[in-house]
Amino acid sequence: MQAFVLTRYGGPDAAELREVPRPRAARGEVLVRVQAAGLNPVDYKTREGMLKVVQRYPLPAVMGNELSGVVEALGDGVTSFQPGDRVFARMPKGAMGGLAEYAVVPDKFLAKMPASTDFNTAAGVPLAGLTALQALRDELHVSRGSRIFIPGGAGGVGTFAIQLAKWLGAEVTTTASPRGRALVEELGADVVIDYTKERFEEHLRGMDGAFDLLGGETLLRSFGVVKPGGKVVSIAGMPEPETARKDLGRGLLLSTLFWFASYRIRAVARKHGVAYRYLFMHPDGAELAELAALIDARTVRPVIDRVFALKDVAEAFAYLESGRAKGKVVMEIAGRPD
């Protein structure tokens, strides 16, 4: 089968399309004929070796962290799916494998994809959708009447976060460029600040929480708009000790490393009386099924920016890394049946 394979850590030439053996489903796994795969910043960060301290893959490794497709075969013990089911998944963190014509997925990470969507749309849901859901509901505890700030709302995670925050009952403020303003307003944002002309901290105060998607100075400035006792959750800042323990199941060594790496951010958070949490989302088939129901109910609409053919995967990565995408970037793969 064809697959996009990471051969070493580095720039765009560190991964390539090549023929590799088709995988087989072991016990508790499902073999999926992949129809489409979503791309995410974690993909090029993995290729560059930025995440080696968290997850070092034995190379060569098939890339890709989310997919949609058709169940081809079942491993022993799998009873929740049948051949022919249309499914989607966030791949296991320690395996990847979505950017290929076939992939094996643990059945607990798999869900039937929304009946109302095509494969390309479904492939853009798992990673960004689960990240937004877990950040907002599990970490920020968003509920009716919450005031939530989501900087960078027009991106892949942001488009889900705005809609899920509204579903949970929040008032949502976001930032966007003039090009992204119409999109975030359409998705339900109550207040939109044009970051090309205004500094959000000059307009916002007393937010219950913030979901940071951008990191850097945006993250540091976000602490000042959240009220004391509130919380900022980031997927773009520096991991902190709880990340090592709760999200990665790791021990003292990584916790200590993250303590030092996140010191400045945590110091700014303490100055404002705000909690800080870096989130590594976790795959979850049950939560994916919940997202599928929200999509079928038209409560949540996946936003797809561009779809590329597998042969154009290098171009797709370059577009993703440019930061221009509004919504998700997706690879159309359409695994060949026997």
Side-chain angles (χ1 to χ4, degrees), residues 220-333:
L220 296 176
R221 290 156 51 203
S222 295
F223 292 114
V225 307
V226 174
K227 68 185 182 183
K231 189 175 187 179
V232 174
V233 174
S234 177
I235 59 169
M238 280 291 180
E240 35 67 44
E242 188 177 355
T243 308
R245 296 189 299 268
K246 184 175 180 179
D247 297 344
L248 301 174
R250 304 281 278 277
L252 180 62
L253 181 61
L254 193 62
S255 293
T256 302
L257 178 63
F258 286 172
W259 188 92
F260 284 106
S262 63
Y263 182 82
R264 182 189 177 206
I265 295 173
R266 291 184 293 108
V268 175
R270 283 195 303 273
K271 176 183 175 182
H272 291 282
V274 174
Y276 171 64
R277 172 87 161 92
Y278 183 94
L279 175 70
F280 274 113
M281 58 77 61
H282 57 272
D284 190 304
E287 288 185 337
L288 259 188
E290 193 173 359
L291 287 171
L294 290 172
I295 292 167
D296 281 337
R298 299 190 177 183
T299 301
V300 172
R301 174 173 68 87
V303 178
I304 306 300
D305 182 284
R306 285 184 66 180
V307 177
F308 293 82
L310 182 57
K311 66 180 179 64
D312 299 320
V313 62
E315 180 185 349
F317 265 78
Y319 180 68
L320 178 70
E321 292 179 64
S322 75
R324 300 194 307 270
K326 302 301 181 188
K328 289 300 298 286
V329 177
V330 172
M331 305 302 307
E332 189 172 66
I333 295 176

Side-chain angles (χ1 to χ4, degrees), residues 66-273:
E66 61 183 346
L67 58 76
S68 66
V70 178
V71 172
E72 184 80 4
L74 306 175
D76 291 342
V78 176
T79 59
S80 300
F81 301 95
Q82 295 297 324
D85 284 347
R86 292 156 49 100
V87 293
F88 64 157
R90 198 296 191 195
M91 298 297 289
K93 290 185 178 182
M96 299 191 292
L99 281 167
E101 291 181 314
Y102 288 85
V104 291
V105 186
D107 61 347
K108 64 183 179 180
F109 296 160
L110 205 62
K112 292 180 181 178
M113 60 181 255
S116 58
T117 65
D118 58 24
F119 288 108
N120 290 343
T121 302
V125 172
L127 194 150
L130 288 174
T131 298
L133 183 62
Q134 292 167 13
L136 294 166
R137 188 167 65 183
D138 301 342
E139 297 294 337
L140 289 170
H141 306 294
V142 173
S143 60
R144 186 159 303 281
S146 297
R147 299 179 66 229
I148 300 297
F149 177 46
I150 305 173
V157 176
T159 53
F160 283 101
I162 290 170
Q163 296 177 85
L164 289 170
K166 293 301 296 181
W167 169 63
L168 290 167
E171 175 189 300
V172 176
T173 298
T174 191
T175 61
S177 67
R179 190 167 74 93
R181 185 182 191 96
L183 173 61
V184 296
E185 289 180 336
E186 181 184 341
L187 296 176
D190 298 286
V191 178
V192 182
I193 298 172
D194 181 352
Y195 68 81
T196 68
K197 297 179 180 178
E198 302 173 284
R199 294 178 66 85
F200 61 78
E201 66 269 33
E202 295 176 358
H203 301 272
L204 299 181
R205 286 290 184 277
M207 307 300 288
D208 295 301
F211 181 25
D212 166 62
L213 312 175
L214 302 174
E217 289 301 312
T218 298
L219 169 58
L220 296 176
R221 290 156 51 203
S222 295
F223 292 114
V225 307
V226 174
K227 68 185 182 183
K231 189 175 187 179
V232 174
V233 174
S234 177
I235 59 169
M238 280 291 180
E240 35 67 44
E242 188 177 355
T243 308
R245 296 189 299 268
K246 184 175 180 179
D247 297 344
L248 301 174
R250 304 281 278 277
L252 180 62
L253 181 61
L254 193 62
S255 293
T256 302
L257 178 63
F258 286 172
W259 188 92
F260 284 106
S262 63
Y263 182 82
R264 182 189 177 206
I265 295 173
R266 291 184 293 108
V268 175
R270 283 195 303 273
K271 176 183 175 182
H272 291 282

